[in-house]
Amino acid sequence: LQIDNSGNVYITGYSYSNLTSSDLTTIKYSSQGSAEWVKKHVTGGYDAGWKILNNPQAQEIYITGKSDSRSALLCYDYTGNVKWQAVDYGGLEAMPMAVLSNQGAILLCNSTGVNGTADVMVIGVNPALGGGTSWFDIYNGPGGGADSPMAITVDNQNNVYIIGYSQSAGSGIDYATLKYNITGSRLWEKRYNHTGTSLNFPVSVAA
């Protein structure tokens, strides 16, 4: 859910048009609760919106989700016109985690299996390029096993932070915290494993 500066409300998700397929459905309500528009992205397969972002400077909203078997990113203006849509971001099947920087860049994050195991993947997207990728990075932890992001955020200097769980070099699961600058350079990585435990799972991050 997102709210613009005029108090209009934007929501996204999915609705079933039949028993075998769902539609990525986005709705705008006025501040008084009137439905201004309903927009659907339909492929005939499983289509769903998972995250919505608001860019008040550009008066655009961005929807991340799934388009059939592929990841999807849709851009609507405030009047409901589709400005662009991009489908299939490399190894990401869907994008449940996304955040908008102060400069208007979209940061997408999920796990990917392109290297054979689950790794953390982060993608920087430029809306001015119609959803084109500016940069990406894949993080494979020291254990070479499962690595999965749990949350993403940006700070006031547009640095990007990702937290998740990651296979350690031993037999345990660690907290993993990654910091990037807005151009995609990984600045540092921090790991945490509580002494005497093998399972450590972070769930949220703030910056």
Side-chain angles (χ1 to χ4, degrees):
L1 179 148
Q2 290 287 335
I3 301 173
D4 66 23
N5 292 336
S6 299
N8 299 299
V9 179
Y10 304 84
I11 63 172
T12 194
Y14 58 94
S15 58
Y16 280 88
S17 54
N18 55 57
L19 295 178
T20 60
S21 63
S22 62
D23 305 334
L24 192 165
T25 304
T26 304
I27 304 173
K28 176 182 179 179
Y29 294 103
S30 73
S31 60
Q32 303 303 312
S34 300
E36 298 292 312
W37 48 258
V38 177
K39 299 296 180 179
K40 293 193 174 188
H41 173 80
V42 181
T43 66
Y46 176 71
D47 306 313
W50 288 7
K51 180 77 174 183
I52 187 167
L53 304 172
N54 175 37
N55 186 338
Q57 287 75 32
Q59 296 195 340
E60 295 174 340
I61 60 169
Y62 311 114
I63 312 296
T64 73
K66 195 157 187 173
S67 176
D68 200 3
S69 61
R70 301 177 295 173
S71 53
L73 180 60
L74 311 178
C75 174
Y76 294 99
D77 63 23
Y78 280 2
T79 60
N81 296 311
V82 178
K83 298 194 69 173
W84 50 261
Q85 59 185 31
V87 176
D88 197 5
Y89 281 90
L92 295 184
E93 291 187 0
M95 300 170 294
M97 283 162 279
V99 69
L100 192 68
S101 78
N102 294 335
Q103 297 174 343
I106 304 169
L107 293 311
L108 308 173
C109 189
N110 201 357
S111 58
T112 178
V114 295
N115 292 329
T117 60
D119 297 324
V120 176
M121 187 173 190
V122 56
I123 299 175
V125 173
N126 186 347
L129 299 178
T133 299
S134 299
W135 59 268
F136 76 93
D137 186 58
I138 295 176
Y139 172 77
N140 184 10
D147 308 296
S148 182
M150 299 296 289
I152 183 172
T153 193
V154 294
D155 65 19
N156 290 333
Q157 287 73 48
N158 291 297
N159 296 302
V160 183
Y161 301 85
I162 297 170
I163 58 102
Y165 62 86
S166 175
Q167 181 73 47
S168 69
S171 59
I173 301 294
D174 298 345
Y175 278 30
T177 305
L178 309 175
K179 179 179 180 179
Y180 296 85
N181 64 21
I182 197 60
T183 59
S185 297
R186 192 190 304 165
L187 302 179
W188 49 255
E189 166 204 350
K190 299 296 180 180
R191 302 180 66 88
Y192 170 80
N193 189 301
H194 181 71
T195 302
T197 65
S198 59
L199 300 177
N200 302 270
F201 294 95
V203 296
S204 185
V205 61

